[in-house]
Amino acid sequence: MNPPRLWLRRLRKTAFWLLGVVTVLAVVVAGLTVWSVRRAMPTLDGELTLTGLSAPVTVRRDAHGIPQIYAKTSDDLYRAQGFVHAQDRFWEMDFRRHVTAGRVSELFGESQLETDKYLRTMGWRRVAEQEVALLSPESRKGLEAYAEGVNAWLAANTDTDGDGFAASGALSLEYGILGLQNSDYVIERWSPVDSLAWLKAMAWDLRGNMEAEIRRAALAAEGLSKEQVDQLYPAYPIDRNLPIVTGGAIANGAFDAKATAPATPAGAPTTPVAGLAADSLNQMADALAALPGLMGNADGDGIGSNSWVISGKLTATGKPILANDPHLSPSQPGIWYQMGLHCECGTEVAGFTFSGVPGVVIGHNAKIAWGFTNLDPDVIDMYLEQVEGDKVKVGDAWEPLTTRQEVLKVAGGSDVTITVRTSKHGPLLSDASESLKKLGGQYAIAMRWTALDPGRTGDAVFAINKAGDWNEFRAAAALFEVPAQNIVYADVEGNIGYQSPGRIPVRGKGDGKWFAPGWDPAYDWTGFIPFNELPNVLNPERGYVVTANQAVIGDQYQQHLTDDWSYGYRSQRIYDMLGAAGGKITLDDVRKQQFDNRNGFAPTLIPALQKAPRQALSQVEKNADALLVDWDFQQGEDSAAAAYYNAVWKNLLGLTFDELGEDYAADGGDRWFEVVRGLLTKPDDKWWDSKGTPAVEKRDDMLAQAMSAAVKELSEAQGEDPKQWRWGDMHTLTPTHATFGESGIGPIEWLFNRDTVGVSGGDAIVNATGWSAGQGYEVDAVPSMRMIVNMADLDDSRWIQLTGNSGHAFHDNYADQFELWRTGQTLPFRFAKATIEKESTNTQTLKP
């Protein structure tokens, strides 16, 4: 499945300047004390009234605040889930729905107008509103019951204010802080649309290659040839890094894992359109990347997720083991909420949920388990439209654009009205910014995106939660339209499998890598790949399935999914570890595999570094080079070799690709592994030459310069004894509150953020603590949770999340899982009622 750093910086610089030092002092003096913090923490024992229940519901929590809900009916189960989510995470839920609706300015004022303009232009919530009617009656009932539970919690903890609820610090500390700037804010009632709109945020954060498409166009506009751009986007190395499904093709209208087919020629590439303004294109890419990423931002290479499932033929228990760890933006609290849902109606499911959404997203029920990684298909095309006034060219004719008015309410300011124009391909994103309207003469940019077509993904979570075998699981997966995912599967009968669901376009012309000419109907989408034709496999002969955002399948597959995969370094490492393990794999073996820190590119780059001629080395440089001689390539937080290697890598990218500038700084992910791998065989390639010097540098010059620069950097930061350098001293993580954590006001940040710590891992590593070489070594993506399901004994499964289940600052469960997560440990993932009762520390009865 990269954080919204740019948006958070904007928030820090502008949204909170009104508070200032005087306000902070006023907050402290007014009583922001232990009492004021704790008054918002929910009561977790005894009896509470939940209006609308048909019978009492029991909620048992363990020492980590993980609730297990026991109800008699399905409606009561989801009603209680909404109530419990609101108890622990309502601020998070409320903020998310403002983002998905393009209403962030209503919370934080004028500084968020640009964010809202883009979100309103895309119209996430408008699509969610259309989806309600498409859902099954059972799903609608579940969403409605969930919303009733959320509203019951609000009614019990606030004063009703018309159709909404009065916001106050009694709900959470965040509302107390918000009230200092926006005292008139009223909380609206929760609705099923609020839950469905979250699926649009998921789809946006996992949207695939949109930024790559824009950056390609910008590079071409700056004068790079198509061949030079392609050199920065190498082909997937399928000869070295195995795809998910290693065979199969479409036969007789369905995918057959045993079918064979010749390699399928790639679609005719789109020709880049000349005359575009590179600055405008880069501004668009930056603005879209800066939108609040509620799960993660897909602009980072090598960011994604890991999952794998192992047949009982290879495990110590004789039954499958399923592992999953989605890589998303780090935040405080973390993105996930752990929970179990148990109902006399037959629902028995536990795992990781999203606050604001009913059901379990990733986990297991009594019969099957499942995990997700991002399929990452190309589901967005950017169309250049020829526009004159409110007309758009289609073929040889001019057709009217569809227009609508959107009114943006602004906290502390006047309403702002915008006009959203839409072509047949989608909304004109270039209208969202004055600078983008000057993109290139009469051109505008429209976005065609699968998530803007109403669908039934809202049915999928309910259906997967209740699936009992492979066929029922596949039927449920067929409903999961956006975002398209890889789903691994295991069941208690011993089966393992993989399915790739999702709405993936079929293009009439073009390959999706470049902007398409909107005036040419030949480039329109002609439909979507039928679900039955999407790759899947049941009980593969090798005994395991590995998905880590690598290529799904080889060139023999007749449909086009994308060309912009992650490059398979994580997935191949998992394949290699499983292959080396042989049989009798245990849960602890899998836990260690999830925390594996091996850098997959270091064995390629280090020999080249060691061969590069260097003159008159200092003793510090000699000692630094010695660190790499017998290094095992593991990037533990205490590793001196990892510190040196990554400093070399960062400096090598900055020196070699200086001509790309800040707009396109190499981030260091596994795409750049492949770019540099190719250049290492071309010592005279012009990319090696530095733009900023009169000399003509070659490969060995740049390698030597990178090593010297790394030694200088580390000596200044950590001293001149290379053996004392530590990767964790530079590769750091600060669990940061998603809204107030980078306000720029120290005391407020202190309230919500946790301490900065060093971590193991790195980019394109199984323990994927991502960082951007263009920004620094700080962590910008993490394994947001880790789950290991034991199909031989579901009660003996394992799990952990980034920080903790509670969203209330200073609560015991706000960050109690963080140190375990940081060090690769896990918690027992309980399922049996007897065990849950034995280990519960809080028991609450919700009464009608």
Side-chain angles (χ1 to χ4, degrees):
M1 271 166 126
N2 301 348
R5 294 289 184 192
L6 296 176
W7 172 79
L8 288 170
R9 290 192 191 104
R10 186 190 309 147
L11 187 67
R12 178 181 63 219
K13 292 177 180 177
T14 58
F16 291 96
W17 69 270
L18 293 173
L19 296 178
V21 176
V22 174
T23 303
V24 173
L25 292 174
V27 170
V28 176
V29 174
L32 194 58
T33 61
V34 172
W35 174 83
S36 65
V37 169
R38 292 193 174 274
R39 68 180 177 140
M41 293 183 186
T43 300
L44 303 180
D45 289 296
E47 295 182 350
L48 289 177
T49 298
L50 200 175
T51 303
L53 289 178
S54 64
V57 173
T58 301
V59 182
R60 296 185 180 276
R61 282 179 166 87
D62 66 11
H64 292 280
I66 300 171
Q68 304 280 346
I69 300 176
Y70 295 87
K72 292 185 180 298
T73 70
S74 178
D75 285 352
D76 283 353
L77 184 69
Y78 295 122
R79 194 172 284 113
Q81 185 183 19
F83 187 90
V84 170
H85 271 163
Q87 281 183 310
D88 286 335
R89 295 284 190 102
F90 185 73
W91 167 263
E92 180 181 52
M93 295 164 60
D94 198 19
F95 172 66
R96 286 175 179 172
R97 67 169 165 176
H98 278 80
V99 171
T100 58
R103 296 172 56 190
V104 186
S105 299
E106 293 182 24
L107 290 173
F108 299 119
E110 186 178 2
S111 65
Q112 300 308 301
L113 272 173
E114 184 176 5
T115 293
D116 285 346
K117 287 178 181 178
Y118 275 105
L119 294 169
R120 291 289 187 94
T121 297
M122 286 186 279
W124 296 358
R125 187 176 178 87
R126 289 172 56 86
V127 180
E129 290 169 349
Q130 299 172 58
E131 291 181 336
V132 174
L134 302 179
L135 300 181
S136 70
E138 185 178 11
S139 295
R140 287 200 299 271
K141 282 185 64 179
L143 286 161
E144 289 163 359
Y146 180 91
E148 290 169 6
V150 176
N151 292 325
W153 178 81
L154 284 168
N157 289 277
T158 66
D159 297 324
T160 301
D161 187 346
D163 291 332
F165 305 91
S168 76
L171 295 177
S172 74
L173 181 59
E174 289 91 340
Y175 285 108
I177 301 295
L178 180 70
L180 297 169
Q181 182 187 6
N182 187 359
S183 59
D184 296 329
Y185 177 65
V186 174
I187 299 171
E188 296 177 358
R189 295 180 64 81
W190 194 265
S191 77
V193 177
D194 294 326
S195 296
L196 289 177
W198 169 243
L199 300 176
K200 303 305 167 190
M202 289 174 58
W204 176 253
D205 288 347
L206 304 175
R207 58 194 175 272
N209 76 335
M210 183 187 72
E211 278 79 9
E213 196 170 324
I214 298 173
R215 298 295 189 191
R216 282 186 179 104
L219 288 170
E222 288 175 346
L224 269 68
S225 68
K226 186 175 182 298
E227 291 70 26
Q228 288 175 304
V229 176
D230 287 344
Q231 197 173 7
L232 298 177
Y233 290 89
Y236 183 86
I238 203 161
D239 57 327
R240 284 185 280 108
N241 296 340
L242 290 174
I244 297 171
V245 179
T246 54
I250 299 169
N252 300 317
F255 182 80
D256 183 343
K258 296 181 179 179
T260 59
T264 303
T270 307
T271 301
V273 176
L276 299 181
D279 289 346
S280 294
L281 291 167
N282 282 317
Q283 287 174 26
M284 169 177 277
D286 291 342
L288 293 173
L291 295 182
L294 299 183
M295 294 174 63
N297 186 322
D299 196 22
D301 298 316
I303 300 303
S305 305
N306 302 323
S307 68
W308 61 96
V309 59
I310 310 166
S311 167
K313 295 184 297 184
L314 301 175
T315 68
T317 65
K319 287 292 179 74
I321 296 175
L322 185 147
N324 194 193
D325 56 289
H327 309 155
L328 305 171
S329 300
S331 63
Q332 176 67 46
I335 191 73
W336 299 104
Y337 185 95
Q338 296 145 294
M339 177 179 275
L341 302 173
H342 312 268
C343 178
E344 293 182 13
C345 61
T347 296
E348 287 280 341
V349 63
F352 292 87
T353 71
F354 290 135
S355 59
V357 180
V360 169
V361 178
I362 294 174
H364 68 80
N365 60 29
K367 295 182 178 180
I368 75 165
W370 65 95
F372 287 113
T373 65
N374 195 17
L375 179 63
D376 218 21
D378 189 350
V379 295
I380 293 181
D381 276 350
M382 310 300 284
Y383 282 88
L384 281 171
E385 305 282 19
Q386 291 186 30
V387 174
E388 286 187 0
D390 283 333
K391 291 185 177 181
V392 60
K393 190 173 184 180
V394 179
D396 295 326
W398 291 86
E399 297 181 357
L401 291 161
T402 301
T403 62
R404 70 175 190 271
Q405 301 289 309
E406 293 276 351
V407 179
L408 283 63
K409 296 185 180 299
V410 182
S414 302
D415 293 354
V416 174
T417 300
I418 64 171
T419 299
V420 178
R421 301 189 298 171
T422 304
S423 75
K424 67 175 182 176
H425 298 117
L428 302 189
L429 287 188
S430 50
D431 280 2
S433 166
E434 289 299 320
S435 63
L436 292 176
K437 292 178 182 178
K438 306 170 185 176
L439 181 69
Q442 63 180 338
Y443 290 130
I445 296 178
M447 181 177 71
R448 180 75 170 99
W449 180 28
T450 56
L452 299 185
D453 293 349
R456 294 184 58 195
T457 304
D459 282 329
V461 173
F462 292 107
I464 290 175
N465 283 192
K466 295 178 181 179
D469 58 28
W470 173 248
N471 290 331
E472 291 179 0
F473 160 76
R474 288 197 71 220
L479 300 170
F480 208 102
E481 296 172 317
V482 291
Q485 296 287 286
N486 300 304
I487 312 182
V488 292
Y489 166 93
D491 63 37
V492 294
E493 300 300 321
N495 299 299
I496 66 170
Y498 161 82
Q499 176 66 57
S500 54
R503 184 185 288 162
I504 302 170
V506 176
R507 294 169 176 82
K509 189 176 180 181
D511 56 7
K513 292 182 180 180
W514 298 84
F515 284 18
W519 53 89
D520 186 348
Y523 285 88
D524 290 351
W525 292 359
T526 62
F528 303 98
I529 301 175
F531 176 77
N532 283 341
E533 293 186 3
L534 291 172
N536 61 86
V537 63
L538 178 66
N539 296 324
E541 185 175 345
R542 66 159 35 97
Y544 47 84
V545 177
V546 175
T547 87
N549 316 109
Q550 79 270 39
V552 170
I553 193 167
D555 292 340
Q556 80 281 2
Y557 182 64
Q558 298 96 320
Q559 297 282 17
H560 181 255
L561 300 175
T562 187
D563 292 310
D564 290 314
W565 308 106
S566 180
Y567 283 78
Y569 283 79
R570 286 179 287 112
S571 57
Q572 194 58 44
R573 174 59 177 166
I574 297 167
Y575 274 124
D576 292 345
M577 288 191 292
L578 292 174
K584 307 303 180 184
I585 297 173
T586 68
L587 265 69
D588 195 54
D589 291 333
V590 175
R591 179 190 65 80
K592 292 174 182 176
Q593 290 165 357
Q594 285 185 322
F595 200 65
D596 179 73
N597 295 298
R598 188 179 189 272
N599 187 307
F601 188 59
T604 298
L605 181 58
I606 287 176
L609 294 172
Q610 292 171 331
K611 292 176 184 177
R614 299 166 71 197
Q615 302 284 328
L617 294 182
S618 69
Q619 189 59 50
V620 177
E621 288 176 311
K622 292 177 182 178
N623 293 342
D625 290 350
L627 295 173
L628 303 180
V629 173
D630 295 315
W631 183 36
D632 61 2
F633 315 122
Q634 289 284 334
Q635 295 193 174
E637 62 174 307
D638 292 330
S639 172
Y644 179 46
Y645 175 84
N646 284 290
V648 172
W649 177 240
K650 174 178 176 290
N651 281 281
L652 179 63
L653 292 173
L655 290 166
T656 303
F657 300 101
D658 60 330
E659 55 264 69
L660 295 179
E662 293 184 3
D663 285 324
Y664 203 78
D667 68 13
D670 62 0
R671 176 164 65 87
W672 294 99
F673 292 1
E674 287 300 291
V675 172
V676 173
R677 180 190 290 271
L679 290 178
L680 288 175
T681 65
K682 302 172 182 177
D684 299 326
D685 193 285
K686 68 177 183 177
W687 282 113
W688 293 117
D689 183 33
S690 176
K691 180 181 179 182
T693 66
V696 177
E697 290 89 357
K698 298 184 179 182
R699 178 195 61 197
D700 289 350
D701 300 317
M702 299 307 265
L703 294 174
Q705 287 182 36
M707 287 187 281
S708 296
V711 170
K712 182 176 185 296
E713 177 186 345
L714 288 173
S715 295
E716 292 174 353
Q718 298 191 39
E720 294 191 349
D721 182 357
K723 291 182 179 179
Q724 299 303 313
W725 295 343
R726 296 292 178 264
W727 176 226
D729 287 351
M730 51 208 285
H731 190 53
T732 59
L733 170 63
T734 307
T736 301
H737 194 267
T739 45
F740 294 98
E742 290 190 315
S743 66
I745 301 173
I748 290 180
E749 293 182 2
W750 175 84
L751 289 172
F752 296 106
N753 297 345
R754 299 302 90 189
D755 293 339
T756 298
V757 297
V759 295
S760 303
D763 230 343
I765 287 172
V766 178
N767 182 27
T769 52
W771 58 284
S772 175
Q775 301 294 324
Y777 305 100
E778 294 79 13
V779 173
D780 59 15
V782 295
S784 55
M785 62 79 157
R786 299 185 183 102
M787 178 185 77
I788 308 170
V789 181
N790 178 6
M791 301 309 295
D793 181 0
L794 293 170
D795 202 45
D796 187 38
S797 301
R798 309 292 297 177
W799 61 356
I800 198 74
Q801 65 154 297
L802 177 63
T803 55
N805 238 26
S806 177
H808 293 283
F810 299 99
H811 192 281
D812 289 345
N813 303 131
Y814 188 58
D816 58 325
Q817 298 185 49
F818 182 55
E819 184 61 17
L820 293 170
W821 172 90
R822 190 186 73 84
T823 55
Q825 304 303 305
T826 56
L827 296 169
F829 178 2
R830 302 305 192 195
F831 193 62
K833 187 173 184 179
T835 310
I836 290 167
E837 290 178 347
K838 179 181 178 181
E839 296 181 357
S840 63
T841 57
N842 300 93
T843 302
Q844 190 168 71
T845 301
L846 304 177
K847 298 181 64 177

